[in-house]
């Protein structure tokens, strides 16, 4: 057996980062150091039951060079998930998005440059802006960047920093841009957990605008397996789009949740739309499938939503403390 692969996973106590940490620790000979600031979006519990000799949590900020440099120096590879991740929050206060998503990525890249460390950058399909509902094309690795929100603009900027550091300084980097994730441990501010927990509480689902907006849903464990493949076998300098052919409009997703939870088809209300709301995202994952042979395990969204509903019903102790505060912020905006 070769030596342990030492990964530094930023944002590893968040929704997707923690799923990736669980995936990585399930592989042989992998040690993970998580660097996470433990913002409102983090959950220690999501990685707490993993073996202590394989996973270590360091509480710190990716925008702090003093915290970042020694951790990058000690790692074989960095996987950068840490971000401010919620569009609605970026409309209320963009400031932490600029600091964490842009300055945080810059800080990691400078450390990676100093130490020559392998770097994988986690990004989003939102950097490409949106598509018309009837556009036959989907996003590819060649689609032009056209972000709409403060969140997606800072993610787009962070991707461009990575590309510039790769070209100008030769850092060994890859980038992935994934579509909308769902699954366990997702914060109740996000669409699917918000609807599930509101419906469990006896409320009505809250749909922005007309509900015609389309998202391309992927289970968080499929995102993790794709990132693992890119980290191990992706070509240095390349970008890979991650998606699982999961396009659905929001109204359809809400109707599936209503049916799973045994509610009436009209237990929903249309609320104030999001400013600048992207109409449709859709990923063409051909490159990832053809080059790396990756396939999603979850191809049935309704079955995945059923598991997710069960998970939230069983984990009320976890989401309950965040629910009232999150809903108060939405209510203040008429959402
Ligand atoms: P999340 O908000 O659930 O978790 C973010 C994590 O980053 C939290 O644990 C938080 O404490 C940590 N963090 C925030 N600021 C930090 C800082 N300055 N220093 C260190 N840690 C910090 O986010 P998520 O939904 O898990 O998203 C993770 C990554 O995946 C992000 O880069 C996001 O842009 C990207 N992404 C998300 C989706 C999605 O559907 N949620 C899709 C594609 C890409
Ligand atoms: O596409 C990837 C992106 O997906 C990630 O980069 C982001 O980090 C992640 O938050 C997500 O962004 P979205 O803005 O697509 O996700 P959100 O869960 O906020 O909303 C999904 C859709 O549902 C969107 O069209 C807005 C709508 N919505 C959202 C909420 C919270 C509603 O209709 N009602 C709601 O209550």
């Amino acid at each position: 057996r070769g030596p342990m692969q030492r990964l530094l996973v930023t944002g590893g106590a968040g929704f997707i980062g923690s799923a990736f940490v669980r995936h990585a620790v399930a592989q042989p000979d992998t040690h993970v150091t998580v660097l996470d600031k433990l913002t409102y979006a983090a959950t220690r519990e999501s990685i707490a039951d993993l073996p202590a000799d394989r996973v270590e949590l360091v509480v710190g900020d990716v925008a702090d060079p003093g915290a970042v440099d020694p951790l990058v120096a000690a790692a074989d590879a960095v996987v950068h998930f840490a971000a401010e991740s919620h569009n609605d929050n970026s409309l209320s206060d963009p400031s932490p998005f600029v600091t964490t998503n842009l300055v945080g990525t810059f800080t990691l890249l400078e450390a990676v440059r100093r130490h020559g460390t392998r770097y994988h950058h986690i990004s989003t399909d939102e950097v490409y802006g949106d598509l018309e509902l009837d556009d036959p094309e989907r996003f590819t690795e060649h689609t032009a960047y056209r972000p709409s929100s403060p969140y997606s603009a800072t993610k787009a900027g962070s991707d461009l920093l990575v590309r510039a550091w790769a070209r100008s300084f030769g850092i060994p980097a890859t980038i992935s841009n994934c579509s909308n994730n769902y699954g366990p441990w997702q914060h109740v501010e996000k669409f699917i957990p918000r609807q599930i927990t509101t419906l469990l509480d006896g409320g009505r689902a809250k749909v922005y605008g007309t509900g015609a907006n389309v998202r391309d849903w992927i289970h968080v464990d499929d995102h993790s397996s794709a990132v693992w493949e890119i980290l191990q076998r992706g070509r240095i300098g390349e970008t890979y789009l991650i998606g699982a052919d999961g396009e659905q409009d929001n109204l359809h997703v809400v109707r599936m949740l209503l049916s799973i939870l045994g509610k009436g088809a009209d237990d929903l209300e249309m609320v104030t739309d999001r400013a600048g709301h992207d109409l449709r995202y859709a990923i063409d994952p051909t490159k990832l499938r053809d080059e790396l042979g990756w396939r999603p395990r979850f191809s049935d969204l309704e079955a995945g939503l059923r598991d997710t509903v069960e998970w939230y019903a069983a984990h009320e102790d976890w989401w309950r403390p965040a629910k009232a505060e999150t809903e108060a912020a939405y209510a203040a905006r008429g959402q």
Side-chain angles (χ1 to χ4, degrees), residues 85-88 124-126 151 178-181 186 189-192 194-195 206-208 213 215 217 250 271 274 277-278 281 330 335:
S85 67
H86 193 41
N87 277 299
D88 292 319
T124 168
D125 59 359
E126 294 193 18
Y151 162 68
C178 187
S179 60
N180 282 66
N181 287 220
Q186 188 171 29
E189 70 191 354
K190 303 296 198 301
F191 176 57
I192 287 175
R194 183 182 187 207
Q195 311 309 337
K206 305 280 195 291
V207 179
Y208 291 176
N213 303 65
R215 295 295 182 266
W217 294 100
N250 293 339
V271 296
R274 172 183 288 171
H277 194 177
D278 280 337
Y281 305 139
Y330 277 124
Q335 293 179 319

Side-chain angles (χ1 to χ4, degrees), residues 92-128:
S92 308
D93 179 11
S95 159
F97 289 75
V98 171
T99 311
T100 289
N101 301 359
L102 285 170
V103 181
T105 299
F106 160 74
T107 306
L108 281 164
L109 289 172
E110 284 293 82
V112 160
R113 173 153 86 106
R114 275 191 291 277
H115 301 291
T117 317
R118 170 85 173 85
Y119 175 84
H120 181 72
H121 186 71
I122 301 294
S123 193
T124 168
D125 59 359
E126 294 193 18
V127 300
Y128 302 116

Side-chain angles (χ1 to χ4, degrees), residues 18-34:
S18 69
F20 179 78
V21 171
R22 294 191 295 275
H23 185 89
V25 168
Q27 316 300 318
D29 302 325
T30 304
H31 181 276
V32 177
T33 300
V34 169

Side-chain angles (χ1 to χ4, degrees), residues 177 219 237 252 298:
N177 297 80
H219 193 279
H252 187 85
F298 298 82

Side-chain angles (χ1 to χ4, degrees), residues 203-239:
R204 299 167 80 198
K206 305 280 195 291
V207 179
Y208 291 176
T210 63
N213 303 65
V214 170
R215 295 295 182 266
D216 190 354
W217 294 100
I218 181 172
H219 193 279
V220 66
D221 292 343
D222 283 332
H223 188 178
S224 295
S225 68
V227 169
W228 183 262
E229 290 304 318
I230 297 165
L231 185 65
Q232 303 303 326
R233 301 192 292 115
R235 281 185 295 140
I236 297 301
E238 293 292 312
T239 291

Side-chain angles (χ1 to χ4, degrees), residues 265-288:
D266 293 323
D267 272 336
L268 58 88
E269 57 188 289
M270 306 307 195
V271 296
T272 309
D273 205 354
R274 172 183 288 171
H277 194 177
D278 280 337
L279 186 54
R280 172 175 163 237
Y281 305 139
I283 291 266
D284 177 351
T286 303
K287 178 176 174 180
L288 177 67

